């Protein structure tokens, strides 16, 4: 079985996106947002069948861990009430996708984070999504300000109430920023990768996992710059008097395979233990074109992993077993060894 740990609903029905625009306009005008529209099941099917599901079938992916579109989380906009309303309708839409395609998708929630608002305000939505909607994890934005980094580091105690809830519910978080408002950064080309690298460095500098030994965090996009500069991070840990990374960080942190060329995947697997790598593609996501050097889609990451020629045990770990270990609630939805045809 092949589990893709990193999928976003980038093809959501137009009515959903239009409501967000109306909500934003209403907020700026000091008015109440309009009622959320009725979206038919057929609209959801149309948005999935020709997009994510089609590519999953073509690429041999059995299950995608699916969340709202990351760039549209928009935590930087509005206030806490706006973020809560937007998170709720976005998560409810993911739940409907999972309900329509239970063999192919598992839900991960957007949190209603807002700059300057304690993260405790996100716990109720996390609980609702896990206990009522059956979601298996959440996306956690380390920078709700949209590229201005006004929040405390992820290791600050202000984040601890959320971590306590995550551990209680036994769900991980993918550390994933949203849109960027700082003109110095391109969203997917720099802001995302900067955030991945920044989050890892924050974790290196502190003892978060001593306080939360069961906390699990997925750093996407292959870990940002971390694998490429692994010697730098090992050296910094030594210079700062920190324990070796294998002891202090890598028991709780995992990278995905959203790296869009073969040399990058080769490096990732050379530097990082296969026990810390989850298969992911971010399809349909940041890079949607065809690589002229290979003739294949950049985000067809299964092709790169298969080319490594991993031993069967390592291959199974990367494609399925590591995801089940990091997202244990998956076993309630799709028991190990049960393979259902995509769609």
């Amino acid at each position: 079985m092949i589990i893709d740990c990193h999928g976003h609903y980038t093809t959501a029905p137009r009515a959903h996106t239009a409501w967000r625009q109306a909500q934003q306009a209403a907020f700026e005008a000091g008015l109440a947002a309009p009622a959320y529209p009725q979206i038919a099941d057929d609209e959801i099917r149309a948005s999935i069948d020709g997009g994510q599901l089609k590519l999953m079938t073509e690429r041999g992916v059995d299950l995608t861990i699916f969340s709202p579109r990351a760039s549209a989380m928009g935590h930087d906009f509005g206030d806490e009430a706006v973020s809560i309303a937007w998170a709720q309708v976005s998560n409810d839409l993911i739940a409907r996708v999972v309900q329509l395609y239970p063999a192919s998708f598992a839900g991960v929630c957007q949190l209603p984070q807002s700059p300057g608002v304690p993260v405790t305000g996100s716990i109720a939505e996390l609980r609702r999504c896990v206990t009522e909607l059956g979601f298996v994890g959440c996306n956690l934005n380390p920078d709700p300000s949209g590229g201005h980094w006004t929040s405390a580091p992820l290791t600050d105690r202000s984040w601890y109430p959320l971590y306590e809830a995550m551990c209680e519910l036994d769900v991980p978080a993918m550390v994933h920023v949203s849109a960027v408002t700082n003109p110095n950064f391109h969203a997917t080309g720099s802001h995302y990768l900067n955030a991945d690298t920044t989050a890892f460095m924050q974790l290196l500098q502190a003892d978060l996992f001593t306080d939360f030994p069961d906390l699990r965090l997925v750093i996407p996009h292959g870990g940002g710059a971390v694998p490429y500069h692994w010697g730098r991070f090992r050296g910094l840990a030594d210079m700062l008097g920190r324990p070796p990374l294998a002891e202090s960080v890598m028991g709780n942190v995992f990278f995905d395979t959203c790296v869009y060329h073969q040399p990058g995947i080769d490096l990732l697997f050379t530097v990082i233990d296969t026990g810390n790598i989850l298969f992911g593609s971010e399809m349909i996501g940041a890079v949607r074109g065809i690589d002229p050097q290979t003739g294949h889609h950049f985000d067809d990451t299964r092709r790169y992993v298969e080319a490594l020629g991993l031993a069967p045990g390592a291959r199974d770990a990367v494609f399925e077993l590591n995801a089940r270990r990091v997202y244990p609630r998956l076993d309630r939805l799709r028991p190990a060894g049960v393979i259902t045809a995509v769609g």
Side-chain angles (χ1 to χ4, degrees), residues 22 38 62 154 172:
Q38 295 290 325
D62 299 289
L154 289 173

Side-chain angles (χ1 to χ4, degrees), residues 70-76 141 143-147 177-181 187 191-192:
S71 61
M73 292 190 296
H75 295 126
D76 60 278
N141 188 347
D143 173 37
S145 71
V177 289
S178 184
V180 61
T181 60
H191 182 48
Y192 282 18

Side-chain angles (χ1 to χ4, degrees), residues 216-250:
R216 300 178 301 280
L217 301 176
V218 179
I219 297 182
H221 318 116
V226 174
Y228 188 76
H229 290 285
W230 192 243
R232 176 182 292 261
F233 289 103
R234 288 194 300 109
L236 286 170
D238 182 66
M239 289 175 60
L240 295 171
R242 302 294 303 156
L245 297 178
E247 299 175 11
S248 63
V249 178
M250 297 310 289

Side-chain angles (χ1 to χ4, degrees), residues 110-126:
Q110 166 183 329
L111 297 177
Q113 297 176 248
S114 188
V117 176
V119 77
T120 50
S122 294
I123 294 174
E125 181 63 6
L126 173 66

Side-chain angles (χ1 to χ4, degrees), residues 4 36-37 48 79 83 138 154 169 175-176 250 258 268 313 326:
D4 187 335
Y36 187 74
I48 292 290
D79 57 17
S83 290
C138 64
L154 289 173
L169 295 166
V175 179
H176 205 309
M250 297 310 289
C258 293
L268 175 66
V326 176

Side-chain angles (χ1 to χ4, degrees), residues 240-305:
L240 295 171
R242 302 294 303 156
L245 297 178
E247 299 175 11
S248 63
V249 178
M250 297 310 289
N252 304 78
V253 171
F254 306 85
F255 301 155
D256 69 14
T257 62
C258 293
V259 179
Y260 296 145
H261 65 148
Q262 191 66 52
I265 290 289
D266 294 346
L267 172 73
L268 175 66
F269 278 79
T270 298
V271 173
I272 304 300
D273 188 271
T274 54
N276 290 90
I277 301 175
L278 279 63
F279 174 70
S281 70
E282 201 177 0
M283 174 274 297
I284 302 169
V287 180
R288 306 187 185 192
I290 293 176
D291 186 343
Q293 296 181 10
T294 66
H296 301 291
H297 284 87
F298 283 102
D299 62 2
D300 186 1
T301 54
R302 178 182 175 180
R303 184 179 301 275
Y304 310 136
V305 177

